[in-house]
């Protein structure tokens, strides 16, 4: 490996990053197009080795798992069935600086302490024959995202808090979209409105947030992924679930489900929670409307909720089953016939109150 010196300090020798198996130069790890909680940037070498980047150097176990699963074309069952040395080789490259994509000799680059590491996995050739094409396709999608993130367009004047409030109030999606790419403050201004006690207004803010983040994700998926993580953390840490975190999560995922589907299972954890169940059902319901195929196991958990003590849970479970269920659940839905209690169904800027009777009949019609 050849040494280079920092152009600013002249005292931080670094090495180019090479594959520990074949010695070839490797590319900087990329963020995958499908985001999941805790996911690390990954890459692959021309020799077939794959690697995951732990920027802190403190999560090497997770990095090993990330690299192994990625090398198996995201097939967890295959990954867990493999045996070290017999099915794959491992190697660790330490003192990696993700920012400059170099190896630090001294553990410091331009005054920055470097603790990162690259965990390499090289599957044996017979396994690579099965997974190689899938790994390449995944990285190609990540490459397209990276290219899009470098594109620049003329910046527009940022919207003020007052302007954002008015656009949400009047549901002017077109005006919000005009500045979505360049006005990062718009996310913060929309987040403020998630605390509104006015249901329809809050839901409009959540939907607009989903629309805005779908645009931002094309260039910076990591930003949106971090936003989702913060929303989940806020729900877990807060005793109150009335604010719009769940609504925002549902809208963000549903507007870019191909990228953030990895977060869907984290919503399931709230279904056993009586205080958060209704909000979780509403969020999952947004996703069910656009990609019911991703929730094909959920009906097994929803059918018992048709008899939940909380009529709202019964209503939202029925609403969702209309997108996910089959003819076999018709009789279960008929159990809500005649129930005149109402819940709110939000769609395209409008919150409409419907009785459980109406929801059950509409769900049956969609089966």
């Amino acid at each position: 490996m050849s040494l280079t010196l920092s152009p600013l300090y002249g005292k931080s020798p670094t090495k180019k990053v090479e594959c520990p198996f074949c010695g070839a130069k490797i590319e900087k790890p990329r963020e995958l197009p499908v985001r999941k909680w805790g996911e690390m940037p990954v890459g692959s070498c021309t020799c077939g080795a794959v690697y995951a980047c732990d920027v802190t150097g403190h999560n090497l176990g997770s990095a090993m798992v990330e690299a192994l699963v990625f090398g198996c074309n995201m097939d967890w069952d295959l990954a867990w069935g493999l045996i070290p040395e017999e099915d794959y080789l491992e190697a660790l490259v330490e003192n990696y600086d993700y920012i400059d994509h170099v190896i630090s000799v001294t553990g410091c680059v331009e005054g920055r302490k470097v603790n990162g590491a690259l965990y390499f996995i090289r599957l044996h050739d017979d396994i690579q024959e099965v997974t190689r094409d899938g790994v390449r396709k995944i990285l190609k999608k990540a490459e397209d995202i990276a290219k899009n993130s470098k594109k620049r367009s003329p910046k527009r004047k940022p919207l003020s808090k007052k302007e954002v409030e008015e656009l949400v109030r009047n549901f002017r999606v077109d005006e919000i979209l005009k500045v979505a790419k360049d006005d990062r403050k718009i996310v913060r201004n929309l987040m403020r409105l998630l605390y509104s006690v006015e249901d329809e207004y809050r839901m409009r803010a959540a939907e607009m947030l989903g629309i805005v983040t779908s645009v931002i994700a094309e260039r910076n998926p990591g930003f949106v992924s971090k936003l989702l993580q913060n929303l989940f953390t806020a729900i877990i840490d807060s005793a109150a679930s009335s604010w719009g975190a769940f609504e925002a999560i549902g809208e963000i995922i549903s507007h870019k489900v191909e990228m953030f589907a990895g977060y869907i299972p984290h919503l399931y954890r709230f279904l056993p929670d009586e205080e958060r169940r209704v909000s979780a059902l509403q969020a999952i319901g947004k996703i069910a409307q656009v990609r019911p195929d991703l929730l094909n196991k959920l009906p097994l958990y929803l059918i018992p909720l048709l008899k939940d003590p909380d009529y709202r849970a019964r209503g939202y479970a029925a609403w969702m089953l209309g997108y996910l269920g089959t003819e076999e659940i018709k009789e279960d839905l008929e159990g809500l016939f005649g129930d005149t209690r109402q819940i709110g169904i939000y769609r395209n800027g409008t919150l409409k109150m419907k009785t459980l009777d109406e929801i059950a009949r509409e769900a049956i019609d969609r089966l």
Side-chain angles (χ1 to χ4, degrees), residues 306-341:
L306 293 175
K307 297 182 180 180
D308 193 272
D310 188 334
Y311 74 91
R312 297 172 303 165
R314 297 199 298 273
Y316 287 116
W319 169 59
M320 208 184 313
L321 282 167
Y323 295 99
L324 305 176
T326 59
E327 285 286 342
E328 288 75 15
I329 65 168
K330 182 178 179 181
E331 186 175 340
D332 296 288
L333 289 168
E334 288 175 347
L336 298 181
F337 284 5
D339 194 328
T340 58
R341 281 171 288 194

Side-chain angles (χ1 to χ4, degrees), residues 314-320 322 333 336 341-345 354-366:
R314 297 199 298 273
Y316 287 116
W319 169 59
M320 208 184 313
L333 289 168
L336 298 181
R341 281 171 288 194
Q342 296 181 325
I343 61 172
I345 301 296
K354 292 189 175 185
T355 66
L356 269 61
D357 177 274
E358 290 178 292
I359 290 170
R361 294 179 188 278
E362 290 175 3
I364 290 174
D365 289 341
R366 289 197 299 269

Side-chain angles (χ1 to χ4, degrees), residues 189-208:
N189 288 332
L190 287 170
M191 291 283 289
R192 289 175 52 251
L193 304 183
L194 296 178
Y195 290 90
S196 173
V197 296
E198 186 181 335
D199 291 342
E200 186 176 75
Y201 183 61
R202 185 182 65 250
M203 291 176 181
R204 285 181 175 179
E207 182 175 4
M208 285 192 166

Side-chain angles (χ1 to χ4, degrees), residues 57-69:
H58 301 308
N59 300 296
L60 297 179
S62 297
M64 180 269 177
V65 173
E66 292 281 353
L68 182 60
V69 174

Side-chain angles (χ1 to χ4, degrees), residues 126 219 239 245 261 282 333 352:
D126 57 336
R219 296 191 306 168
Q282 288 177 282
L333 289 168
K352 185 176 181 180

Side-chain angles (χ1 to χ4, degrees), residues 120-259:
F120 283 78
I121 296 286
R122 192 184 190 286
L123 299 174
H124 287 185
D125 292 342
D126 57 336
I127 302 175
Q128 281 194 46
E129 289 180 6
V130 178
T131 62
R132 185 182 295 114
D133 289 344
V135 169
R136 288 174 178 170
K137 288 179 181 178
I138 294 172
L139 276 180
K140 180 62 171 62
K141 291 181 180 178
E143 183 179 87
D144 291 341
I145 289 175
K147 289 179 179 178
N148 289 336
S149 68
K150 296 177 182 178
K151 295 179 180 179
R152 293 290 182 267
S153 57
K155 290 189 176 181
R156 296 175 179 269
K157 180 182 177 182
L159 296 173
S160 67
K161 293 179 182 178
K162 200 70 176 177
E163 287 173 324
V164 172
E165 291 172 5
E166 286 302 311
L167 290 175
V168 172
R169 178 74 61 188
N170 297 310
F171 202 58
R172 294 293 304 278
V173 177
D174 54 338
E175 294 298 320
I176 289 285
L177 279 174
K178 288 179 181 179
V179 298
K181 291 183 179 180
D182 302 309
D183 185 1
R184 188 64 61 84
K185 287 184 178 179
I186 196 171
V187 171
R188 184 164 67 245
N189 288 332
L190 287 170
M191 291 283 289
R192 289 175 52 251
L193 304 183
L194 296 178
Y195 290 90
S196 173
V197 296
E198 186 181 335
D199 291 342
E200 186 176 75
Y201 183 61
R202 185 182 65 250
M203 291 176 181
R204 285 181 175 179
E207 182 175 4
M208 285 192 166
L209 181 63
I211 293 169
V212 166
T213 53
S214 71
V215 174
I216 294 174
E218 291 294 335
R219 296 191 306 168
N220 191 351
F223 173 83
V224 182
S225 187
K226 184 64 176 177
L227 175 60
L228 280 168
Q229 293 175 30
N230 290 341
L231 287 167
F232 274 109
T233 300
I235 293 171
I236 294 169
D237 291 345
S238 175
S241 59
S242 58
W243 72 290
F246 277 108
E247 291 153 348
I249 290 171
E251 294 287 358
I252 292 171
I253 296 175
S254 65
H255 278 89
K256 205 68 176 175
V257 70
E258 72 279 5
M259 188 175 289

Side-chain angles (χ1 to χ4, degrees), residues 63-81:
M64 180 269 177
V65 173
E66 292 281 353
L68 182 60
V69 174
F70 172 60
C72 291
N73 190 24
M74 312 309 287
D75 187 335
W76 284 81
D77 292 333
L78 173 60
W80 292 131

